[in-house]
Amino acid sequence: LFTDVTTIPLQTVLSEAGSNVTLACPGVTEHSLVLMLEWRSHVKLVEYMGESTTVWEHRHRITLLPDTFSLHFHPVTAEDSAEYSCLVNNRPKPEAVVRLVVQGKFNKIIS
């Protein structure tokens, strides 16, 4: 199954390495009926299924916030720069893709 990602909106979140960052799951509010949910980048990060949450990667610094199903990094690192998608209730594609861009604290601009 191949989905056309060009039709999916992209949200960009800029952050600084070492800070705490929360990525909202596009289209989900505290009133949404969420039976299952998955956050993924190039791998599955977090899976929620009816009250049970499994964090697959970076357990020590990634949390799923219970009310909004946001992905919370504490702290974020440069390696977290990626595109993240939040798949709700087994939908084949996300409402939007969230691109996280993490900049180092002391990045010098080289021209």
Side-chain angles (χ1 to χ4, degrees), residues 11 13 21-28 34 36-48 53-57 62-66 68-73 82-89 94-100:
Q11 301 173 356
V13 175
V21 175
T22 301
L23 302 182
C25 180
V28 171
V34 176
M36 54 199 308
L37 179 139
E38 191 176 293
W39 270 103
R40 50 188 324 135
S41 56
H42 48 285
V43 294
K44 185 192 293 186
L45 294 169
V46 177
E47 188 174 44
Y48 166 86
T53 301
T54 308
V55 179
W56 295 99
E57 298 284 325
I62 287 184
T63 320
L64 184 70
L65 299 183
T68 57
F69 297 98
S70 299
L71 192 63
H72 183 64
F73 294 86
E83 291 187 354
Y84 293 86
S85 54
C86 177
L87 299 169
V88 181
N89 297 340
E95 184 122 333
V97 171
V98 183
R99 176 185 288 152
L100 176 61

Side-chain angles (χ1 to χ4, degrees), residues 4 6 12 14 21 31 33 35 46 67 73 75 78 89 101 105:
D4 179 14
T6 55
T12 301
L14 294 173
V21 175
H31 305 298
L33 178 62
L35 304 172
V46 177
D67 297 337
F73 294 86
N89 297 340
V101 179
K105 283 186 174 174

Side-chain angles (χ1 to χ4, degrees), residues 1-21:
L1 187 70
F2 190 76
T3 52
D4 179 14
V5 291
T6 55
T7 59
I8 300 174
L10 186 67
Q11 301 173 356
T12 301
V13 175
L14 294 173
S15 176
E16 193 177 83
S19 60
N20 293 345
V21 175

